[in-house]
Amino acid sequence: TTAPRVNHVTLGSNRVGGNIPSEIGLLGEHLELLLFDRNNVGGTIPTTIGLLTNLEYFNIVVNGVTGTIPTELGRCASMGRVGFGMN
C-alpha cells in the first residue's frame, strides 16, 4: 500500500506546545500548507523544513520560536506566504 499524501497541516489555536521536530521534513513533497499559528511552540525552526519543496504557506505567528529563519526555507520555491510575527 502507498502512504497517503498530506497536503495541509493546520494546528492553529490548539495549545500545541514543544518544539517543531526535525522530522517535519518527512511530511513530503506534497505538503502545501503548514500552520502552527497561535500556540505555544518554542525552540528553533528546523532546517529540514527546506525539504518541503512545495510548501506554499508557512505560519508560525504568536508562539515562542527563537533563533534565525533557516536559509533552507529558500528551497521552498512555491512559497508565496509566510508568517513569523510575535515570536
Side-chain angles (χ1 to χ4, degrees):
T1 58
T2 305
R5 293 181 181 177
V6 176
N7 295 64
H8 297 168
V9 175
T10 305
L11 298 170
S13 301
N14 279 296
R15 299 181 186 169
V16 174
N19 297 344
I20 300 172
S22 61
E23 293 83 5
I24 196 80
L26 299 177
L27 286 174
E29 62 185 35
H30 301 287
L31 191 68
E32 298 170 348
L33 181 77
L34 183 57
L35 306 179
F36 285 107
D37 56 304
R38 294 171 174 74
N39 281 295
N40 296 310
V41 176
T44 60
I45 299 168
T47 58
T48 54
I49 197 163
L51 297 173
L52 305 174
T53 54
N54 287 314
L55 192 62
E56 296 175 5
Y57 181 28
F58 176 59
N59 188 346
I60 195 157
V61 300
V62 191
N63 278 284
V65 176
T66 59
T68 59
I69 297 169
T71 58
E72 289 82 359
L73 198 60
R75 294 183 190 152
C76 303
S78 299
M79 185 74 71
R81 191 170 167 198
V82 63
F84 296 110
M86 299 182 72
N87 277 287

